[in-house]
């Protein structure tokens, strides 16, 4: 080729589509409708919904439940709501420092809690009073924690229910580490129903924005850990709505981490039970993690220090009131002839007795010695903590009367 010959002009590269937007705009989310992917079995009036592409995979689990199972779940829903109501009332009367209500989320927690086996382990946030009930944690212990008379409230290993975690999202990593430990102990995929175990990690929609949450999903996915992430999407992270937290629903994010995600009607206890049971069975069998998004609503305030009338409208609350989980389950039991008025009255009476019991127990809890706050910080004595305890005792003794 002559030196002065011109080289052929390079071909223009084919356009590359680096990104294609597939998500809706931030203001297009409908927080009252979970969409066609959501698993449901009972409508707002308690009517059994027909089999659909969304619920078909879980229908057998619901069909295998007995009338007694349904009555037991209804009882749990009513008693858990009554515990929550007492906690709220006790805080308002100055008996507790704080109370985070679960009002409206009873079905999500009872359905998930009832799907767990004895050897499974739960890692809650701080609102999982219904899961605690299902794990046989005495409700008095929950009240003791929020009254500030103990270091956490219960022995985690007695009920395989970890202590409440106040720091949002921390429990996701704790659960992942525990699940990987179960895996390495060989307690997964043996086929022994009394040995194979799984872990459940609970958080809210706000928790999905935390770094800990996303890191936990990375580790769980890569390790194929026996873990079920249970996100209660109650639509509000304190005063932040969903559209300020994520662009796609939490259940769709699981695919990016390499495992399945399912959205379930969080106010339908039968649907929650079925979806959670399937996910836990898969985890115990060695099939790895699942993310469940329970689509629900926080009917009350974030905690007793919050006023939701400042950031949400009453019409929104009214729409969700029509989806009340207890009304739905009661309608289902009545329509099937599984329960009568005598049964419902007996449950209400039991709820009254439970409320009176835990109220009395809370009010009679003794205040611990003040230096006790330094105890059990470490397993072994720690010189810094011991010095701080001595200084605190000396400071208290400097007041008139030594108190």
């Amino acid at each position: 080729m002559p030196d002065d010959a011109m080289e052929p002009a390079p071909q223009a590269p084919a356009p590359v589509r680096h990104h294609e937007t597939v998500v809706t705009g931030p203001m297009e989310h409908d927080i009252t409708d979970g969409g066609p992917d959501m698993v449901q079995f009972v409508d707002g009036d308690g009517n059994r919904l027909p089999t659909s592409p969304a619920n078909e995979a879980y229908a057998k689990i619901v069909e295998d439940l007995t009338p007694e199972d349904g009555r037991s779940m209804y009882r749990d829903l009513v008693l858990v709501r009554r515990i929550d109501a007492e906690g709220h009332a006790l805080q308002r009367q100055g008996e507790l420092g704080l109370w985070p209500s679960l009002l409206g989320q009873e079905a999500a927690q009872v359905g998930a809690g009832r799907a767990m086996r004895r050897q499974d382990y739960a890692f809650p946030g701080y609102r999982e009073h219904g899961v605690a009930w299902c794990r046989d944690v005495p409700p008095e212990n929950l009240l003791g924690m929020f009254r500030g008379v103990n270091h956490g409230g219960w022995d985690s290993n007695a009920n395989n229910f970890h202590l409440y975690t106040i720091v949002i999202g921390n429990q996701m990593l704790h659960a992942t580490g525990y699940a990987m430990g179960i895996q390495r102990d060989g307690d997964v995929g043996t086929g022994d129903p009394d040995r194979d175990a799984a872990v459940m990690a609970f958080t809210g929609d706000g928790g999905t924005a935390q770094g800990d949450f996303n890191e936990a999903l990375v580790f769980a996915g890569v390790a194929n850990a026996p873990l079920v992430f249970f996100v209660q999407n109650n639509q509000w992270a304190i005063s932040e709505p969903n559209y300020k937290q994520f662009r796609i629903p939490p259940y769709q994010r699981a695919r990016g981490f390499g495992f399945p995600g399912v959205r379930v009607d969080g106010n339908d206890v039968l649907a929650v039970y079925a979806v959670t049971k399937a996910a836990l069975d898969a985890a115990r069998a060695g099939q790895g993690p699942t993310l469940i998004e329970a689509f629900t609503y926080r009917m009350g305030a974030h905690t007793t220090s919050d006023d939701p009338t400042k950031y949400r409208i009453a019409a929104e609350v009214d729409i969700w009131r029509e989806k009340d989980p207890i009304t739905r389950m009661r309608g289902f039991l009545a329509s099937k002839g599984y329960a009568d008025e005598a049964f419902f009255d007996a449950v209400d009476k039991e709820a009254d007795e439970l409320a009176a019991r835990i109220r009395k127990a809370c009010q009679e809890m003794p205040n611990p010695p003040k230096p006790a706050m330094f105890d059990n910080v470490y397993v072994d004595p720690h010189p810094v903590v011991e010095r701080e305890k001595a200084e605190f005792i000396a400071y208290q003794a400097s007041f008139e009367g030594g108190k």
Side-chain angles (χ1 to χ4, degrees):
M1 178 181 295
D3 293 341
D4 58 350
M6 295 182 62
E7 294 182 359
Q11 295 291 321
V16 176
R17 302 186 68 180
H18 291 285
H19 178 71
E20 182 176 352
T21 299
V22 295
V23 297
T24 58
M27 299 304 293
E28 297 178 19
H29 294 272
D30 181 355
I31 69 166
T32 64
D33 184 355
D37 290 345
M38 187 168 72
V39 179
Q40 282 182 301
F41 283 99
V42 178
D43 68 13
D45 296 322
N47 300 307
R48 174 70 156 83
L49 295 170
T51 301
S52 68
N55 69 22
E56 184 177 14
Y58 309 97
K60 179 68 165 53
I61 297 174
V62 172
E63 291 163 1
D64 286 345
L65 291 171
T66 66
E68 178 55 32
D69 292 330
R71 289 191 292 270
S72 178
M73 289 183 186
Y74 175 83
R75 172 180 174 271
D76 287 341
L77 295 174
V78 173
L79 297 186
V80 166
R81 177 168 291 185
R82 192 54 182 269
I83 293 167
D84 184 64
E86 281 305 307
H88 185 272
L90 285 165
Q91 196 283 330
R92 284 292 184 254
Q93 294 162 13
E95 300 288 351
L96 303 181
L98 185 76
W99 184 255
S101 173
L102 62 64
L103 183 63
Q105 298 176 222
E106 297 88 351
Q109 297 193 15
V110 168
R114 284 301 173 207
M116 299 181 72
R117 291 182 185 167
R118 174 192 53 78
Q119 68 269 30
D120 296 334
Y121 213 110
F123 285 79
Y126 51 77
R127 200 188 301 278
E128 276 68 52
H129 318 319
V131 184
W133 172 259
C134 294
R135 302 302 290 174
D136 295 327
V137 176
E140 292 88 340
N141 290 2
L142 305 181
L143 299 176
M145 174 184 171
F146 288 102
R147 191 176 173 87
V149 298
N150 58 45
H151 279 312
W154 53 88
D155 178 353
S156 299
N157 290 331
N159 305 90
N160 280 11
F161 184 78
H162 197 262
L163 299 179
Y164 276 180
T165 303
I166 307 299
V167 180
I168 306 299
N170 265 190
Q171 71 275 21
M172 299 291 109
L173 285 170
H174 301 163
T176 301
Y178 192 91
M180 293 170 67
I182 289 177
Q183 189 181 47
R184 282 150 180 74
D185 285 343
D187 293 333
V188 177
T190 70
D192 182 349
D194 296 324
R195 176 179 176 182
D196 291 340
V199 175
M200 287 199 72
F202 294 85
T203 191
D205 43 290
T208 66
Q210 293 291 97
D212 286 3
F213 174 84
N214 291 277
E215 292 161 14
L217 267 62
V218 169
F219 274 93
V222 171
N224 206 41
L227 178 58
V228 176
F229 295 100
F230 194 85
V231 177
Q232 294 171 79
N233 180 2
N234 65 20
Q235 315 301 331
W236 291 93
I238 308 183
S239 58
E240 290 290 292
N242 268 186
Y243 70 83
K244 288 189 176 181
Q245 302 173 65
F246 39 73
R247 295 294 300 271
I248 61 172
Y251 79 102
Q252 293 183 357
R253 293 166 63 180
R255 185 180 178 191
F257 293 94
F259 51 86
V262 183
R263 173 177 271 187
V264 64
D265 184 343
N267 287 22
D268 179 348
V269 68
L270 298 181
V272 175
Y273 171 82
V275 168
T276 308
K277 182 180 186 305
L280 285 169
D281 286 347
R284 295 189 204 99
Q287 297 176 31
T290 299
L291 190 154
I292 297 174
E293 177 192 353
F295 194 79
T296 182
Y297 191 76
R298 192 193 75 211
M299 294 297 293
H302 173 68
T303 69
T304 44
S305 64
D306 173 43
D307 179 4
T309 64
K310 302 294 185 184
Y311 53 81
R312 69 183 187 188
I313 59 176
E316 179 181 303
V317 181
D318 291 340
I319 291 173
W320 276 94
R321 189 170 286 113
E322 297 299 318
K323 305 173 186 288
D324 184 85
I326 294 180
T327 303
R328 292 168 75 168
M329 194 55 184
R330 178 169 179 146
F332 174 76
L333 293 175
S335 66
K336 292 289 185 181
Y338 294 162
D340 55 19
E341 288 302 315
F343 167 77
F344 295 127
D345 290 345
V347 173
D348 290 341
K349 183 173 184 294
E350 184 180 4
D352 290 340
E353 294 169 351
L354 174 63
R357 188 194 84 197
I358 64 174
R359 165 175 287 278
K360 183 173 186 295
C362 179
Q363 292 172 326
E364 293 179 349
M365 288 177 183
N367 292 328
K370 291 178 182 176
M373 73 174 80
F374 295 93
D375 297 339
N376 304 311
V377 176
Y378 295 99
V379 173
D380 298 318
H382 191 285
V384 174
V385 176
E386 292 299 314
R387 185 175 69 247
E388 291 176 342
K389 180 177 181 179
E391 292 172 354
F392 177 78
I393 293 172
Y395 174 74
Q396 292 292 317
S398 68
F399 290 94
E400 185 175 356
K403 297 181 180 178

